[in-house]
Amino acid sequence: MAFLIAAAGCCAVGLCIGWCGVAGFLLPILFTGACGLSVTESLLASFLCFAVSGAIGAFNYHRRGELPLRPALTLSAGSLAGGLMGAALGGLLAAETVKVLLYLVVLLSGMAIAVRELRPRKAARAQPMPPAAALLPLGLITAVICALSGAGGPVLVMPLLVALGVPAKMAVGVALLDSVFIALPAIAVYGSQCDPMALLPMLAAAAASHAVGVSIGSATAARVPQSLLKRGVAAFSICFSLYMLLK
């Protein structure tokens, strides 16, 4: 039963990521709350899915000319180090502390999405990608937060890049590639703290269904009302995280 829940949930989250670039931060909640995995196991499964969705999404955005590789790789270099630092720090904290941090990040992510979607839109001129001196620390800091809490990289990186003047679609493409570099060291660290072979059927089901969801979502994104979808993700995230923090 847990395999079916994991497969269905990962496919649904993959669809949302393919459609609008957000919702990855819901995966740790799925694995811990619905599938019965420990915090470390859920983070391993989540980052495996993030690596899959990031690779598929980045490929599709690059093919459409919406992923500038040089600045994206500069950002990702900072994230590679930050992902290792965040995952290592997560292994030193108590499971309950990591859970609280996870729900706080989900709450803040949901609130950030809601504010961005509900506020009046202003026309703004797109700016070139920030310089390497800004991208490296941005990648480092956001990766530490993501790897520690289990949040997907795009939910933090994409809004920050847009705020710096990067076109929205380009920001999503860069954030998706960046999420691969956050995920890889996190997979190595969290995988060393549990027994991946015992989780192999669950991990395989989760990664495969997530890949299907992302592929379908990225192919049909133009047909989906993204603003409505993001507001739904935001509402669910806020309500669920508040429930888990206050219960």
Side-chain angles (χ1 to χ4, degrees):
M1 186 64 180
F3 289 173
L4 294 177
I5 294 174
C10 288
C11 185
V13 172
L15 279 170
C16 290
I17 292 176
W19 283 332
C20 63
V22 299
F25 56 88
L26 299 176
L27 283 180
I29 295 174
L30 168 71
F31 290 122
T32 55
C35 300
L37 299 186
S38 69
V39 171
T40 301
E41 292 170 341
S42 72
L43 291 173
L44 170 62
S46 298
F47 282 109
L48 177 62
C49 289
F50 295 154
V52 170
S53 60
I56 293 173
F59 173 78
N60 289 334
Y61 274 81
H62 179 62
R63 186 174 57 180
R64 293 196 298 264
E66 296 168 346
L67 173 54
L69 281 179
R70 177 174 287 184
L73 290 174
T74 301
L75 178 74
S76 299
S79 293
L80 192 63
L84 181 60
M85 292 170 57
L89 180 59
L92 300 176
L93 299 178
E96 287 304 315
T97 302
V98 176
K99 278 187 178 181
V100 170
L101 179 60
L102 168 62
Y103 297 137
L104 284 173
V105 170
V106 171
L107 174 62
L108 294 175
S109 299
M111 292 173 64
I113 295 170
V115 169
R116 178 172 174 78
E117 289 303 308
L118 294 176
R119 72 183 181 184
R121 302 289 178 91
K122 294 181 179 180
R125 290 187 304 172
Q127 302 296 321
M129 290 291 295
L135 289 173
L136 278 171
L138 177 64
L140 177 68
I141 295 169
T142 54
V144 169
I145 297 171
C146 291
L148 177 59
S149 66
V155 76
L156 294 179
V157 176
M158 189 267 285
L160 290 174
L161 290 177
V162 172
L164 292 172
V166 178
K169 289 185 178 181
M170 185 180 293
V172 173
V174 171
L176 285 169
L177 179 62
D178 183 59
S179 67
V180 177
F181 288 83
I182 297 173
L184 292 178
I187 290 171
V189 173
Y190 289 122
S192 68
Q193 297 171 356
C194 59
D195 184 4
M197 295 308 297
L199 298 172
L200 191 57
M202 173 76 75
L203 295 176
S209 60
H210 193 66
V212 170
V214 171
S215 299
I216 295 173
S218 60
T220 59
R223 308 174 192 172
V224 178
Q226 295 193 21
S227 180
L228 180 62
L229 179 67
K230 289 182 182 180
R231 292 180 186 185
V233 170
F236 172 81
S237 305
I238 293 170
C239 293
F240 183 85
S241 57
L242 284 175
Y243 170 75
M244 296 302 294
L245 287 168
L246 299 176
K247 73 172 184 177

